[in-house]
Structure formats: C-alpha cells, structure tokens
Amino acid sequence: MNVINRRIYSAVREYQNKYPILAITGPRQSGKTTLLRTLFPDYRYVSLENPDNRDFALKDPNGFLNEYDDQVVFDEVQQAPAIFSYLQTIVDNRSDKMGGFILSGSQNFHLMERITQSLAGRVAIFKLLPLDIKELEASDLLADDPFSQLIHGFYPAMYDRKISSSVFYPNYVQTYVNRDITELMVVKDLRQFQNFLGLCATRAGQLLNLSALANEAGITQPTAKSWLSALESSYITFQLYPFHKNFSKRVVKTPKLYFYDTGLLCHLLKITKRETLLTHPVKGALFENMIVAEFFKQMHHSYQNQSPWFWRDNHGNEVDLLLDQGLSLDIYEIKASKTVLTENFKSLAKFESISTIPIYSKGLVNAGSLNQKRSYGNVISWKDFPEFS
C-alpha cells in the first residue's frame, strides 16, 4: 500500500492546540478516516453510522457524552444532530481544553448547519478533498501526461488499493453518490437523478444555465436547483462565480459549474481512454476543470483562504481564473495545449486594459512541462500550478 502524506496534516496538527473542536469534512473516500486514525491514534474512534452508537447519541446525548467526554473522534457526526448543543456546553465549561473533540462528516450541508447553529467560534474547519497534484507528485504517483491523469482521477482508494478507475467510479456513484443524495432529500426517480448528474457532466467548465439544465433533465427548475445543491453538499460539484467589481452591465454574471474530481467526470462522460479525450470536443473544458479544481484542492489542503473568480464579458473575452488579492489581482488563462502562442494571452491583455484594479500577476497554465517568463505573462506547467506554501 502506498503511503500518501496529505498536506492538510500539518494544518490540522497546528490548530489542534488552538480550538476545542476540530471538524474534518470532505467527500466520501477522500481519506478522512485515514487522516483521523493517522493524526489521532490515541483518540477513541466512534462512527455515528454504526446503528448502536447513533441510537445511543440520539436517545441519550448526556449519557453518550459522559462516556465519550474527551480525546474522541466522532465520525459522520451529522447523523446525530442532538449532540451538537451538548458539545457547546461541554467546551464552554472547560475553555482551557483544546482539541478534545474531532468531528468528521461527508455531508457538508448538515455538518455546517449544525456547527453554525451550535458551535460557531469553537471549531476549526478543514476540507479534505481528493488528492491534489502536489500530493501525487510527492508520492511518485503522478502521471507524466495531464490527460491520462485527469481520466484516472484523484481519489486515494485507487492508489492505496490499486483499484482501476473503471471499477472504482461505477461503484462510487452507486454506493456513495446515490446514497448521499437520497439522505439529503427525497428522490422519487433515481434513474432521473442519474440522468441529471450525467447532464451536469456535459456542462463542466461552462456557464450554468439552470433553466436549460432542468428542461433537458425533464424536471422543474426548483428541483434542479435542489439537486445541484445536494451535489455541492456532497462535494461532487462546485460553482465558480463571476467577478464583476467595477465593471459595467456587459459582464456575464452567471456562475460556471465544475466537478471536484475529473476521474468521476470522465466516467460520467464515458471517456475511458486518453486517445478518445485528445480528439474530444470537451478536452479543453475538462483540462480547465482539472486546473480550477486543483486550485481549490490546494487552497483547502494548505488551509488558506483565497477569493477565486472568473471573468467574462458578452463579447466572449474571458479570464478563466482570477484571484482577488484586495489591492491587486492575479489572472490566469487555462489552455489544454503544450504549444504556447502569443494569442493565448489575448484575453489577459484585454482584461488588464479595462481593469481599474492593478494586475499583479498574469499566467498561462497549459498542458506542457516547462515554466517560462514572457513579456505577456508567465507560462506555467499544469504540474506547477498553483503554488501554496
């Protein structure tokens, strides 16, 4: 079994002594259990998915927390919402005790709802997403070719247990995605939801037209919005919102849809071979999805807070990723090509010419392996973006 050192470990260690409660959230199979057992080997581990544990916590929260009162991990803690208010009282009564409770869950909506209601200010919250490129590279597991990597995907189980993506993803959808969605809401027709999920995959890296998505899926727009929210809460998809500060009404204000894992995305699109992807119309969108998702993964794994956006006007000029640094902006174009052309920097130059906020850095992220500094901006290899310390 390959031992992959997750970059988030150091941040969790640091804040263990600064907050009475730590919360680890992220999609199923992202490595949360491994993290918990690695970083907290002396803590008691209690899974609230176990019916006996869950029944104890729900029916007798006082007795449950008298039994598990310190140095304990509560996994899938959203299954027992009754204990959150009791935890608040416990940690408030022993304000000098740090890191006594570790909470973990894979449904972000329910977990964050409980934390917001009862534990605000008492919890350090971490997001463990699928493996990032730097983690794979450090473990000598990263593919040499970006398109092979994005098809294979980033979930740790495939690397730990040497499971092929063709086996992993069908099981993942059936075992986890469908299960989480049906726990979050009532889905009368699971086949219709699966069709909706596939239609979301066809829109990865594109502007999200919720009305058109609902019509094609044969559902109402409120249902489409609800299902999409459930996918986001289960860490399957996320949205990137447009930057429109100090711009006119001619700027697009519709978000773009992305998947956290491109292996799952390729599975849904039935793309299993690199040769197929290289000539596929979605090649550029999938490469963009991988790079944008990589930014989010590394941001959370480094426990940093950035403000990522994209920008697009109604003439089609677009900046794929924009980072608002407050007094300046970093802007990036993403191209699924190894060839660097001057015209690739055209949209970045256009944006810089009309922005009232100074541009600190311009970059072109591509599928090549070289990093170069050019007068138009920096050329950045897919393996080296972004750079978080």
Side-chain angles (χ1 to χ4, degrees):
M1 179 181 289
N2 290 301
V3 178
I4 302 174
N5 184 37
R6 305 304 303 270
R7 300 206 301 161
I8 202 171
Y9 285 9
S10 59
V12 175
R13 281 289 190 212
E14 178 183 353
Y15 286 90
Q16 182 181 356
N17 298 319
K18 296 180 180 179
Y19 282 84
I21 301 174
L22 304 185
I24 316 293
T25 184
R28 294 186 185 272
Q29 294 290 300
S30 65
K32 295 188 300 298
T33 301
T34 300
L35 180 153
L36 296 171
R37 295 192 182 279
T38 300
L39 296 185
F40 308 103
D42 298 328
Y43 280 49
R44 287 176 290 174
Y45 179 87
V46 183
S47 173
L48 275 304
E49 288 206 320
N50 179 295
D52 293 336
N53 293 335
R54 184 165 64 248
D55 184 70
F56 188 7
L58 289 172
K59 293 182 179 178
D60 185 10
N62 267 322
F64 180 79
L65 289 171
N66 282 333
E67 174 70 21
Y68 302 109
D69 60 346
D70 191 25
Q71 288 200 314
V72 59
V73 172
F74 294 136
D75 198 7
E76 297 301 339
V77 68
Q78 75 278 352
Q79 300 280 2
I83 70 172
F84 282 83
S85 295
Y86 291 87
L87 281 172
Q88 175 187 342
T89 301
I90 291 172
V91 299
D92 286 352
N93 286 338
R94 56 182 200 194
S95 57
D96 59 333
K97 177 69 175 178
M98 297 293 112
F101 296 99
I102 313 298
L103 312 182
S104 177
S106 55
Q107 290 180 357
N108 190 42
F109 175 78
H110 285 157
L111 181 60
M112 294 307 299
E113 182 182 42
R114 306 303 179 191
I115 288 175
T116 301
Q117 289 174 352
S118 303
L119 300 174
R122 302 166 178 87
V123 185
I125 302 168
F126 300 87
K127 291 183 181 179
L128 182 67
L129 298 171
L131 294 164
D132 64 50
I133 286 174
K134 294 293 192 301
E135 290 171 338
L136 285 172
E137 190 172 36
S139 300
D140 200 27
L141 293 169
L142 184 67
D144 292 331
D145 173 74
F147 305 107
S148 298
Q149 183 62 59
L150 73 85
I151 291 173
H152 185 71
F154 296 85
Y155 277 94
M158 295 188 293
Y159 299 90
D160 289 341
R161 304 198 296 271
K162 294 182 170 56
I163 304 172
S164 71
S165 56
S166 62
V167 172
F168 177 82
Y169 286 107
N171 283 305
Y172 188 82
V173 171
Q174 184 174 351
T175 307
Y176 295 110
V177 178
N178 292 345
R179 172 188 169 186
D180 278 352
I181 297 304
T182 53
E183 285 185 0
L184 284 166
M185 63 187 63
V186 176
V187 177
K188 296 179 180 178
D189 188 342
L190 193 55
R191 186 179 296 273
Q192 192 174 42
F193 171 76
Q194 290 172 338
N195 179 53
F196 173 80
L197 179 59
L199 290 171
C200 287
T202 66
R203 289 160 168 78
Q206 299 180 22
L207 296 176
L208 177 60
N209 185 327
L210 195 60
S211 177
L213 176 59
N215 288 338
E216 192 170 350
I219 57 178
T220 65
Q221 189 166 328
T223 297
K225 186 176 182 179
S226 177
W227 286 2
L228 198 58
S229 177
L231 288 173
E232 292 180 7
S233 294
S234 299
Y235 293 100
I236 302 300
T237 65
F238 66 97
Q239 295 180 40
L240 185 65
Y241 289 88
F243 184 82
H244 49 79
K245 188 186 296 184
N246 298 334
F247 284 97
S248 70
K249 295 180 180 180
R250 294 191 297 273
V251 174
V252 168
K253 296 186 179 180
T254 304
K256 295 175 75 172
L257 181 66
Y258 293 98
F259 279 65
Y260 278 110
D261 185 76
T262 54
L264 175 59
L265 181 53
C266 287
H267 164 71
L268 295 171
L269 294 171
K270 297 179 171 55
I271 299 173
T272 60
K273 296 181 179 179
R274 177 180 180 275
E275 293 72 24
T276 303
L277 178 59
L278 291 180
T279 57
H280 203 289
V282 300
K283 171 187 170 185
L286 294 195
F287 183 77
E288 178 184 323
N289 192 129
M290 182 176 72
I291 297 303
V292 174
E294 183 65 18
F295 177 85
F296 276 80
K297 287 189 289 185
Q298 291 201 35
M299 176 177 69
H300 289 302
H301 293 168
S302 300
Y303 208 55
Q304 297 194 24
N305 185 26
Q306 294 271 3
S307 297
W309 311 82
F310 79 96
W311 174 86
R312 184 174 182 175
D313 66 16
N314 57 6
H315 297 294
N317 297 302
E318 183 171 4
V319 171
D320 293 321
L321 189 62
L322 181 153
L323 307 181
D324 185 359
Q325 307 290 7
L327 298 177
S328 64
L329 302 172
D330 296 338
I331 56 176
Y332 300 95
E333 180 76 2
I334 302 169
K335 292 292 184 184
S337 171
K338 296 181 181 180
T339 304
V340 180
L341 303 174
T342 302
E343 63 188 44
N344 295 151
F345 294 91
K346 182 179 178 181
S347 291
L348 299 180
K350 171 66 176 178
F351 180 87
E352 185 174 28
S353 71
I354 61 175
S355 174
T356 58
I357 305 173
I359 306 303
Y360 179 77
S361 176
K362 293 182 292 182
L364 171 68
V365 185
N366 75 350
S369 58
L370 295 178
N371 298 301
Q372 297 178 330
K373 290 190 175 183
R374 299 196 177 190
S375 56
Y376 302 104
N378 296 326
V379 178
I380 308 168
S381 168
W382 66 282
K383 293 182 178 181
D384 298 311
F385 179 83
E387 279 295 339
F388 285 111
S389 59

mmCIF file of all heavy atoms in Angstrom, residues 98-129:
data_model
loop_
_atom_site.group_PDB
_atom_site.id
_atom_site.type_symbol
_atom_site.label_atom_id
_atom_site.label_comp_id
_atom_site.label_asym_id
_atom_site.label_seq_id
_atom_site.Cartn_x
_atom_site.Cartn_y
_atom_site.Cartn_z
ATOM 1 N N MET A 98 -8.096 22.214 24.752
ATOM 2 C CA MET A 98 -8.104 22.312 23.300
ATOM 3 C C MET A 98 -8.026 20.924 22.653
ATOM 4 O O MET A 98 -7.369 20.020 23.179
ATOM 5 C CB MET A 98 -6.933 23.159 22.807
ATOM 6 C CG MET A 98 -6.953 24.608 23.267
ATOM 7 S SD MET A 98 -8.308 25.576 22.581
ATOM 8 C CE MET A 98 -9.290 25.885 24.052
ATOM 9 N N GLY A 99 -8.678 20.784 21.507
ATOM 10 C CA GLY A 99 -8.535 19.586 20.685
ATOM 11 C C GLY A 99 -9.102 18.317 21.276
ATOM 12 O O GLY A 99 -8.688 17.220 20.896
ATOM 13 N N GLY A 100 -10.084 18.437 22.179
ATOM 14 C CA GLY A 100 -10.624 17.248 22.816
ATOM 15 C C GLY A 100 -11.596 16.472 21.942
ATOM 16 O O GLY A 100 -11.740 15.262 22.094
ATOM 17 N N PHE A 101 -12.260 17.194 21.010
ATOM 18 C CA PHE A 101 -13.254 16.556 20.160
ATOM 19 C C PHE A 101 -12.896 16.762 18.690
ATOM 20 O O PHE A 101 -12.622 17.893 18.260
ATOM 21 C CB PHE A 101 -14.653 17.129 20.416
ATOM 22 C CG PHE A 101 -15.165 16.867 21.799
ATOM 23 C CD1 PHE A 101 -15.079 17.840 22.793
ATOM 24 C CD2 PHE A 101 -15.722 15.641 22.132
ATOM 25 C CE1 PHE A 101 -15.546 17.606 24.071
ATOM 26 C CE2 PHE A 101 -16.200 15.393 23.412
ATOM 27 C CZ PHE A 101 -16.106 16.376 24.379
ATOM 28 N N ILE A 102 -12.941 15.690 17.933
ATOM 29 C CA ILE A 102 -12.716 15.754 16.495
ATOM 30 C C ILE A 102 -13.999 15.294 15.807
ATOM 31 O O ILE A 102 -14.467 14.167 16.047
ATOM 32 C CB ILE A 102 -11.541 14.848 16.051
ATOM 33 C CG1 ILE A 102 -10.328 15.057 16.969
ATOM 34 C CG2 ILE A 102 -11.204 15.125 14.593
ATOM 35 C CD1 ILE A 102 -9.753 16.446 16.975
ATOM 36 N N LEU A 103 -14.575 16.144 14.994
ATOM 37 C CA LEU A 103 -15.804 15.821 14.269
ATOM 38 C C LEU A 103 -15.479 15.591 12.803
ATOM 39 O O LEU A 103 -14.654 16.290 12.221
ATOM 40 C CB LEU A 103 -16.820 16.956 14.393
ATOM 41 C CG LEU A 103 -17.080 17.525 15.795
ATOM 42 C CD1 LEU A 103 -18.155 18.606 15.728
ATOM 43 C CD2 LEU A 103 -17.481 16.437 16.773
ATOM 44 N N SER A 104 -16.152 14.627 12.208
ATOM 45 C CA SER A 104 -15.925 14.358 10.786
ATOM 46 C C SER A 104 -17.255 14.056 10.113
ATOM 47 O O SER A 104 -18.157 13.460 10.728
ATOM 48 C CB SER A 104 -14.970 13.177 10.619
ATOM 49 O OG SER A 104 -14.791 12.860 9.253
ATOM 50 N N GLY A 105 -17.373 14.458 8.858
ATOM 51 C CA GLY A 105 -18.606 14.185 8.123
ATOM 52 C C GLY A 105 -18.429 14.393 6.641
ATOM 53 O O GLY A 105 -17.553 15.143 6.207
ATOM 54 N N SER A 106 -19.266 13.731 5.857
ATOM 55 C CA SER A 106 -19.157 13.816 4.401
ATOM 56 C C SER A 106 -20.326 14.561 3.763
ATOM 57 O O SER A 106 -20.378 14.683 2.554
ATOM 58 C CB SER A 106 -19.068 12.406 3.796
ATOM 59 O OG SER A 106 -20.164 11.624 4.212
ATOM 60 N N GLN A 107 -21.244 15.034 4.582
ATOM 61 C CA GLN A 107 -22.337 15.848 4.046
ATOM 62 C C GLN A 107 -22.178 17.257 4.586
ATOM 63 O O GLN A 107 -22.553 17.553 5.721
ATOM 64 C CB GLN A 107 -23.696 15.258 4.425
ATOM 65 C CG GLN A 107 -24.010 13.957 3.701
ATOM 66 C CD GLN A 107 -25.351 13.390 4.090
ATOM 67 O OE1 GLN A 107 -26.039 13.933 4.945
ATOM 68 N NE2 GLN A 107 -25.731 12.300 3.468
ATOM 69 N N ASN A 108 -21.619 18.115 3.773
ATOM 70 C CA ASN A 108 -21.235 19.445 4.227
ATOM 71 C C ASN A 108 -22.422 20.263 4.705
ATOM 72 O O ASN A 108 -22.321 21.016 5.672
ATOM 73 C CB ASN A 108 -20.527 20.181 3.089
ATOM 74 C CG ASN A 108 -19.895 21.478 3.549
ATOM 75 O OD1 ASN A 108 -19.295 21.536 4.606
ATOM 76 N ND2 ASN A 108 -20.035 22.523 2.754
ATOM 77 N N PHE A 109 -23.581 20.110 4.050
ATOM 78 C CA PHE A 109 -24.739 20.930 4.409
ATOM 79 C C PHE A 109 -25.158 20.669 5.850
ATOM 80 O O PHE A 109 -25.274 21.580 6.659
ATOM 81 C CB PHE A 109 -25.904 20.648 3.464
ATOM 82 C CG PHE A 109 -27.167 21.364 3.856
ATOM 83 C CD1 PHE A 109 -27.330 22.715 3.585
ATOM 84 C CD2 PHE A 109 -28.185 20.692 4.516
ATOM 85 C CE1 PHE A 109 -28.486 23.385 3.969
ATOM 86 C CE2 PHE A 109 -29.340 21.346 4.899
ATOM 87 C CZ PHE A 109 -29.493 22.697 4.621
ATOM 88 N N HIS A 110 -25.372 19.389 6.188
ATOM 89 C CA HIS A 110 -25.834 19.060 7.535
ATOM 90 C C HIS A 110 -24.778 19.354 8.589
ATOM 91 O O HIS A 110 -25.091 19.877 9.663
ATOM 92 C CB HIS A 110 -26.245 17.587 7.600
ATOM 93 C CG HIS A 110 -27.552 17.306 6.934
ATOM 94 N ND1 HIS A 110 -27.896 16.056 6.473
ATOM 95 C CD2 HIS A 110 -28.594 18.113 6.633
ATOM 96 C CE1 HIS A 110 -29.098 16.111 5.925
ATOM 97 N NE2 HIS A 110 -29.529 17.352 6.011
ATOM 98 N N LEU A 111 -23.532 19.039 8.292
ATOM 99 C CA LEU A 111 -22.469 19.280 9.260
ATOM 100 C C LEU A 111 -22.313 20.769 9.531
ATOM 101 O O LEU A 111 -22.265 21.208 10.686
ATOM 102 C CB LEU A 111 -21.153 18.683 8.761
ATOM 103 C CG LEU A 111 -19.950 18.834 9.691
ATOM 104 C CD1 LEU A 111 -20.209 18.150 11.023
ATOM 105 C CD2 LEU A 111 -18.693 18.268 9.042
ATOM 106 N N MET A 112 -22.240 21.567 8.481
ATOM 107 C CA MET A 112 -22.036 23.007 8.651
ATOM 108 C C MET A 112 -23.250 23.679 9.272
ATOM 109 O O MET A 112 -23.126 24.643 10.028
ATOM 110 C CB MET A 112 -21.700 23.647 7.296
ATOM 111 C CG MET A 112 -20.367 23.199 6.718
ATOM 112 S SD MET A 112 -18.990 23.399 7.880
ATOM 113 C CE MET A 112 -19.043 25.173 8.141
ATOM 114 N N GLU A 113 -24.439 23.160 8.965
ATOM 115 C CA GLU A 113 -25.657 23.708 9.567
ATOM 116 C C GLU A 113 -25.606 23.543 11.085
ATOM 117 O O GLU A 113 -25.918 24.470 11.834
ATOM 118 C CB GLU A 113 -26.876 23.001 8.990
ATOM 119 C CG GLU A 113 -28.207 23.537 9.514
ATOM 120 C CD GLU A 113 -29.386 22.770 8.934
ATOM 121 O OE1 GLU A 113 -29.306 21.529 8.842
ATOM 122 O OE2 GLU A 113 -30.386 23.425 8.581
ATOM 123 N N ARG A 114 -25.198 22.355 11.557
ATOM 124 C CA ARG A 114 -25.126 22.111 12.993
ATOM 125 C C ARG A 114 -24.033 22.950 13.639
ATOM 126 O O ARG A 114 -24.212 23.490 14.733
ATOM 127 C CB ARG A 114 -24.853 20.631 13.270
ATOM 128 C CG ARG A 114 -25.806 19.664 12.615
ATOM 129 C CD ARG A 114 -27.247 19.915 12.978
ATOM 130 N NE ARG A 114 -28.121 18.977 12.304
ATOM 131 C CZ ARG A 114 -29.441 19.062 12.248
ATOM 132 N NH1 ARG A 114 -30.052 20.076 12.855
ATOM 133 N NH2 ARG A 114 -30.163 18.170 11.606
ATOM 134 N N ILE A 115 -22.893 23.064 12.982
ATOM 135 C CA ILE A 115 -21.789 23.859 13.532
ATOM 136 C C ILE A 115 -22.187 25.319 13.631
ATOM 137 O O ILE A 115 -21.938 25.986 14.646
ATOM 138 C CB ILE A 115 -20.523 23.680 12.665
ATOM 139 C CG1 ILE A 115 -19.943 22.277 12.871
ATOM 140 C CG2 ILE A 115 -19.483 24.754 12.999
ATOM 141 C CD1 ILE A 115 -18.769 21.970 11.962
ATOM 142 N N THR A 116 -22.825 25.833 12.603
ATOM 143 C CA THR A 116 -23.247 27.238 12.600
ATOM 144 C C THR A 116 -24.253 27.510 13.710
ATOM 145 O O THR A 116 -24.202 28.558 14.375
ATOM 146 C CB THR A 116 -23.863 27.601 11.234
ATOM 147 O OG1 THR A 116 -22.893 27.374 10.212
ATOM 148 C CG2 THR A 116 -24.286 29.059 11.204
ATOM 149 N N GLN A 117 -25.151 26.567 13.922
ATOM 150 C CA GLN A 117 -26.194 26.764 14.925
ATOM 151 C C GLN A 117 -25.662 26.686 16.353
ATOM 152 O O GLN A 117 -26.102 27.436 17.223
ATOM 153 C CB GLN A 117 -27.295 25.706 14.741
ATOM 154 C CG GLN A 117 -28.149 25.910 13.506
ATOM 155 C CD GLN A 117 -29.135 24.756 13.291
ATOM 156 O OE1 GLN A 117 -29.087 23.743 13.977
ATOM 157 N NE2 GLN A 117 -30.032 24.922 12.315
ATOM 158 N N SER A 118 -24.721 25.777 16.589
ATOM 159 C CA SER A 118 -24.339 25.493 17.981
ATOM 160 C C SER A 118 -22.882 25.743 18.330
ATOM 161 O O SER A 118 -22.559 25.989 19.491
ATOM 162 C CB SER A 118 -24.672 24.025 18.308
ATOM 163 O OG SER A 118 -26.036 23.746 18.085
ATOM 164 N N LEU A 119 -21.983 25.674 17.351
ATOM 165 C CA LEU A 119 -20.558 25.641 17.681
ATOM 166 C C LEU A 119 -19.731 26.740 17.023
ATOM 167 O O LEU A 119 -18.509 26.641 16.959
ATOM 168 C CB LEU A 119 -19.975 24.274 17.312
ATOM 169 C CG LEU A 119 -20.593 23.062 18.024
ATOM 170 C CD1 LEU A 119 -20.018 21.766 17.457
ATOM 171 C CD2 LEU A 119 -20.376 23.144 19.530
ATOM 172 N N ALA A 120 -20.372 27.767 16.523
ATOM 173 C CA ALA A 120 -19.649 28.842 15.849
ATOM 174 C C ALA A 120 -18.591 29.437 16.769
ATOM 175 O O ALA A 120 -18.858 29.715 17.943
ATOM 176 C CB ALA A 120 -20.628 29.926 15.400
ATOM 177 N N GLY A 121 -17.384 29.603 16.242
ATOM 178 C CA GLY A 121 -16.288 30.180 17.005
ATOM 179 C C GLY A 121 -15.532 29.194 17.862
ATOM 180 O O GLY A 121 -14.496 29.542 18.444
ATOM 181 N N ARG A 122 -16.057 27.968 17.932
ATOM 182 C CA ARG A 122 -15.411 26.960 18.772
ATOM 183 C C ARG A 122 -14.731 25.875 17.942
ATOM 184 O O ARG A 122 -14.152 24.949 18.501
ATOM 185 C CB ARG A 122 -16.452 26.317 19.693
ATOM 186 C CG ARG A 122 -17.175 27.311 20.604
ATOM 187 C CD ARG A 122 -18.412 26.682 21.228
ATOM 188 N NE ARG A 122 -19.097 27.594 22.127
ATOM 189 C CZ ARG A 122 -20.018 28.479 21.733
ATOM 190 N NH1 ARG A 122 -20.341 28.570 20.450
ATOM 191 N NH2 ARG A 122 -20.618 29.272 22.611
ATOM 192 N N VAL A 123 -14.835 25.977 16.623
ATOM 193 C CA VAL A 123 -14.390 24.905 15.733
ATOM 194 C C VAL A 123 -13.451 25.422 14.658
ATOM 195 O O VAL A 123 -13.715 26.462 14.040
ATOM 196 C CB VAL A 123 -15.602 24.238 15.037
ATOM 197 C CG1 VAL A 123 -15.153 23.045 14.212
ATOM 198 C CG2 VAL A 123 -16.644 23.816 16.050
ATOM 199 N N ALA A 124 -12.364 24.706 14.421
ATOM 200 C CA ALA A 124 -11.529 24.919 13.236
ATOM 201 C C ALA A 124 -11.984 23.910 12.190
ATOM 202 O O ALA A 124 -12.022 22.709 12.452
ATOM 203 C CB ALA A 124 -10.057 24.717 13.569
ATOM 204 N N ILE A 125 -12.368 24.403 11.014
ATOM 205 C CA ILE A 125 -12.982 23.555 9.993
ATOM 206 C C ILE A 125 -11.993 23.314 8.853
ATOM 207 O O ILE A 125 -11.423 24.262 8.301
ATOM 208 C CB ILE A 125 -14.259 24.215 9.451
ATOM 209 C CG1 ILE A 125 -15.241 24.469 10.603
ATOM 210 C CG2 ILE A 125 -14.911 23.339 8.382
ATOM 211 C CD1 ILE A 125 -16.404 25.367 10.226
ATOM 212 N N PHE A 126 -11.820 22.041 8.499
ATOM 213 C CA PHE A 126 -10.896 21.656 7.430
ATOM 214 C C PHE A 126 -11.659 20.883 6.357
ATOM 215 O O PHE A 126 -12.564 20.106 6.666
ATOM 216 C CB PHE A 126 -9.772 20.767 7.987
ATOM 217 C CG PHE A 126 -8.952 21.424 9.060
ATOM 218 C CD1 PHE A 126 -9.357 21.359 10.391
ATOM 219 C CD2 PHE A 126 -7.801 22.112 8.749
ATOM 220 C CE1 PHE A 126 -8.611 21.963 11.384
ATOM 221 C CE2 PHE A 126 -7.047 22.729 9.731
ATOM 222 C CZ PHE A 126 -7.452 22.652 11.058
ATOM 223 N N LYS A 127 -11.248 21.092 5.119
ATOM 224 C CA LYS A 127 -11.831 20.346 3.998
ATOM 225 C C LYS A 127 -10.761 19.453 3.379
ATOM 226 O O LYS A 127 -9.757 19.955 2.875
ATOM 227 C CB LYS A 127 -12.385 21.300 2.940
ATOM 228 C CG LYS A 127 -13.616 22.071 3.384
ATOM 229 C CD LYS A 127 -14.149 22.947 2.257
ATOM 230 C CE LYS A 127 -15.378 23.736 2.716
ATOM 231 N NZ LYS A 127 -15.904 24.608 1.629
ATOM 232 N N LEU A 128 -10.992 18.152 3.440
ATOM 233 C CA LEU A 128 -10.092 17.199 2.804
ATOM 234 C C LEU A 128 -10.744 16.729 1.509
ATOM 235 O O LEU A 128 -11.729 15.988 1.521
ATOM 236 C CB LEU A 128 -9.816 16.009 3.722
ATOM 237 C CG LEU A 128 -8.843 14.974 3.160
ATOM 238 C CD1 LEU A 128 -7.433 15.566 3.036
ATOM 239 C CD2 LEU A 128 -8.812 13.716 4.020
ATOM 240 N N LEU A 129 -10.187 17.156 0.404
ATOM 241 C CA LEU A 129 -10.716 16.836 -0.918
ATOM 242 C C LEU A 129 -9.893 15.697 -1.526
ATOM 243 O O LEU A 129 -8.913 15.249 -0.926
ATOM 244 C CB LEU A 129 -10.685 18.092 -1.785
ATOM 245 C CG LEU A 129 -11.549 19.253 -1.253
ATOM 246 C CD1 LEU A 129 -11.288 20.533 -2.041
ATOM 247 C CD2 LEU A 129 -13.023 18.903 -1.262
#
